[in-house]
Coordinates of all heavy atoms in Angstrom, one line a residue:
I103 N 6.3 -11.7 -20.8 CA 5.8 -12.7 -21.7 C 4.3 -12.5 -22.0 O 3.9 -12.6 -23.1 CB 5.9 -14.1 -21.0 CG1 7.4 -14.4 -21.0 CG2 5.1 -15.3 -21.6 CD1 7.8 -15.7 -20.2
T104 N 3.6 -12.1 -20.9 CA 2.1 -11.9 -21.2 C 1.8 -10.6 -22.1 O 1.1 -10.7 -23.0 CB 1.4 -11.7 -19.9 OG1 1.9 -10.6 -19.1 CG2 1.3 -12.9 -19.0
E105 N 2.7 -9.7 -22.0 CA 2.5 -8.4 -22.9 C 2.9 -8.8 -24.4 O 2.1 -8.4 -25.3 CB 3.4 -7.2 -22.4 CG 2.9 -6.6 -21.2 CD 3.9 -5.5 -20.6 OE1 4.9 -5.2 -21.2 OE2 3.6 -5.1 -19.5
K106 N 4.0 -9.5 -24.5 CA 4.3 -9.9 -25.8 C 3.3 -10.9 -26.5 O 3.0 -10.7 -27.7 CB 5.8 -10.6 -25.9 CG 6.3 -10.9 -27.2 CD 7.8 -11.1 -27.3 CE 8.6 -9.9 -26.7 NZ 8.5 -8.6 -27.8
L107 N 2.9 -11.8 -25.8 CA 1.8 -12.7 -26.2 C 0.5 -12.0 -26.6 O -0.1 -12.2 -27.5 CB 1.6 -13.9 -25.2 CG 2.7 -14.9 -25.1 CD1 2.5 -15.8 -23.9 CD2 2.8 -15.6 -26.5
T108 N 0.2 -11.0 -25.7 CA -1.0 -10.2 -25.9 C -0.9 -9.4 -27.2 O -1.7 -9.4 -28.1 CB -1.3 -9.5 -24.8 OG1 -1.6 -10.2 -23.7 CG2 -2.7 -8.4 -25.0
E109 N 0.3 -8.7 -27.4 CA 0.5 -7.9 -28.5 C 0.6 -8.7 -29.8 O 0.1 -8.3 -30.9 CB 1.9 -7.1 -28.3 CG 1.9 -6.1 -27.4 CD 3.3 -5.5 -27.0 OE1 4.2 -6.0 -27.6 OE2 3.4 -4.8 -26.0
G110 N 1.2 -10.0 -29.8 CA 1.2 -10.7 -30.9 C 0.1 -11.6 -31.2 O 0.1 -12.4 -32.2
S111 N -0.9 -11.7 -30.5 CA -2.0 -12.6 -30.6 C -3.1 -11.9 -31.4 O -3.2 -10.7 -31.3 CB -2.5 -13.2 -29.4 OG -3.0 -12.2 -28.6
S112 N -3.8 -12.8 -32.1 CA -5.0 -12.1 -32.8 C -6.2 -12.1 -32.0 O -6.5 -13.0 -31.2 CB -5.4 -13.1 -34.0 OG -6.5 -12.7 -34.7
S113 N -7.0 -11.0 -32.1 CA -8.2 -10.9 -31.5 C -9.3 -11.6 -32.0 O -10.4 -11.6 -31.6 CB -8.6 -9.3 -31.2 OG -8.6 -8.7 -32.6
E114 N -9.0 -12.2 -33.2 CA -10.1 -12.9 -34.1 C -10.2 -14.5 -33.4 O -11.1 -15.1 -34.0 CB -9.6 -13.0 -35.5 CG -9.4 -11.6 -36.1 CD -10.7 -10.8 -36.2 OE1 -11.7 -11.4 -36.7 OE2 -10.6 -9.6 -35.9
S115 N -9.2 -14.8 -32.5 CA -9.3 -16.2 -32.1 C -9.3 -16.2 -30.6 O -9.0 -15.2 -29.9 CB -8.0 -16.9 -32.6 OG -6.9 -16.4 -32.2
E116 N -9.6 -17.4 -30.1 CA -9.4 -17.6 -28.6 C -7.9 -17.9 -28.3 O -7.4 -18.7 -29.0 CB -10.4 -18.8 -28.1 CG -11.7 -18.7 -28.2 CD -12.6 -19.7 -27.6 OE1 -12.1 -20.3 -26.6 OE2 -13.8 -19.9 -27.9
N117 N -7.5 -17.2 -27.3 CA -6.1 -17.3 -26.9 C -6.1 -17.6 -25.5 O -6.6 -17.0 -24.6 CB -5.4 -16.1 -27.2 CG -5.5 -15.5 -28.6 OD1 -4.9 -16.2 -29.5 ND2 -6.1 -14.4 -28.9
H118 N -5.2 -18.8 -25.2 CA -5.1 -19.3 -23.8 C -3.7 -19.3 -23.4 O -2.9 -19.7 -24.3 CB -5.7 -20.7 -23.7 CG -7.2 -20.6 -23.9 ND1 -8.3 -20.4 -23.0 CD2 -7.9 -20.8 -25.1 CE1 -9.4 -20.3 -23.6 NE2 -9.3 -20.7 -24.8
L119 N -3.3 -18.9 -22.1 CA -2.1 -19.1 -21.6 C -2.1 -20.0 -20.3 O -2.9 -19.5 -19.4 CB -1.4 -17.8 -21.4 CG 0.0 -17.8 -20.7 CD1 0.9 -18.5 -21.6 CD2 0.4 -16.4 -20.3
L120 N -1.6 -21.2 -20.5 CA -1.5 -22.0 -19.2 C -0.3 -21.7 -18.6 O 0.9 -22.1 -19.2 CB -1.7 -23.5 -19.6 CG -1.5 -24.4 -18.5 CD1 -2.6 -24.1 -17.4 CD2 -1.7 -25.9 -18.9
L121 N -0.3 -21.3 -17.4 CA 1.0 -21.1 -16.6 C 1.2 -22.2 -15.6 O 0.2 -22.3 -14.6 CB 1.0 -19.7 -15.9 CG 2.2 -19.2 -15.2 CD1 3.4 -19.2 -16.1 CD2 1.8 -17.7 -14.8
T122 N 2.1 -23.1 -15.7 CA 2.3 -24.2 -14.9 C 3.5 -24.0 -14.0 O 4.5 -23.8 -14.4 CB 2.4 -25.5 -15.6 OG1 1.4 -25.6 -16.5 CG2 2.5 -26.8 -14.8
F123 N 3.2 -24.0 -12.6 CA 4.5 -24.1 -11.6 C 4.6 -25.4 -11.2 O 3.8 -26.1 -10.6 CB 4.0 -23.2 -10.4 CG 4.0 -21.7 -10.7 CD1 2.9 -21.1 -11.5 CD2 5.0 -20.8 -10.3 CE1 2.8 -19.8 -11.7 CE2 4.9 -19.5 -10.5 CZ 3.9 -19.0 -11.1
L124 N 5.8 -26.1 -11.6 CA 6.2 -27.3 -11.1 C 7.4 -27.2 -10.1 O 8.4 -26.9 -10.4 CB 6.6 -28.2 -12.2 CG 7.1 -29.7 -12.0 CD1 6.0 -30.4 -11.3 CD2 7.6 -30.3 -13.2
F125 N 6.9 -27.6 -8.8 CA 7.9 -27.5 -7.7 C 8.5 -28.9 -7.5 O 7.7 -29.8 -7.3 CB 7.2 -26.9 -6.5 CG 6.9 -25.6 -6.6 CD1 5.6 -25.1 -7.0 CD2 7.7 -24.5 -6.1 CE1 5.3 -23.7 -7.0 CE2 7.4 -23.2 -6.0 CZ 6.3 -22.7 -6.5
T126 N 9.8 -29.0 -7.5 CA 10.6 -30.1 -7.1 C 11.5 -29.9 -5.9 O 11.3 -28.8 -5.4 CB 11.4 -30.6 -8.3 OG1 12.5 -29.6 -8.5 CG2 10.7 -30.9 -9.6
D127 N 12.2 -30.8 -5.6 CA 13.1 -30.6 -4.3 C 13.9 -29.3 -4.4 O 14.1 -28.6 -3.4 CB 13.9 -31.9 -4.1 CG 13.0 -33.1 -3.5 OD1 11.9 -32.7 -3.1 OD2 13.5 -34.1 -3.6
D128 N 14.6 -29.1 -5.6 CA 15.5 -28.0 -5.7 C 15.1 -26.9 -6.6 O 16.0 -26.0 -6.8 CB 16.9 -28.8 -6.1 CG 16.8 -29.7 -7.4 OD1 15.7 -29.8 -7.9 OD2 17.9 -29.9 -8.0
E129 N 14.1 -27.0 -7.4 CA 13.9 -25.9 -8.3 C 12.2 -25.8 -8.5 O 11.6 -26.7 -8.2 CB 14.6 -26.0 -9.6 CG 14.0 -27.1 -10.5 CD 14.8 -27.1 -11.9 OE1 15.4 -26.2 -12.3 OE2 14.5 -28.1 -12.6
C130 N 11.9 -24.7 -9.1 CA 10.5 -24.3 -9.5 C 10.6 -24.1 -11.2 O 11.3 -23.2 -11.5 CB 10.0 -23.2 -8.9 SG 8.4 -22.7 -9.8
K131 N 10.0 -25.0 -11.9 CA 10.1 -24.8 -13.3 C 8.6 -24.2 -13.7 O 7.6 -24.7 -13.2 CB 10.1 -26.0 -14.1 CG 11.5 -26.5 -14.3 CD 11.7 -27.5 -15.4 CE 13.2 -27.9 -15.4 NZ 13.8 -28.5 -16.5

Side-chain angles (χ1 to χ4, degrees):
I103 291 173
T104 55
E105 285 171 10
K106 188 159 295 294
L107 291 171
T108 299
E109 291 167 6
S111 64
S112 169
S113 56
E114 307 290 315
S115 64
E116 286 188 31
N117 302 296
H118 298 272
L119 177 60
L120 175 60
L121 186 55
T122 304
F123 288 76
L124 176 59
F125 289 88
T126 62
D127 288 340
D128 54 350
E129 73 177 345
C130 174
K131 278 197 178 197

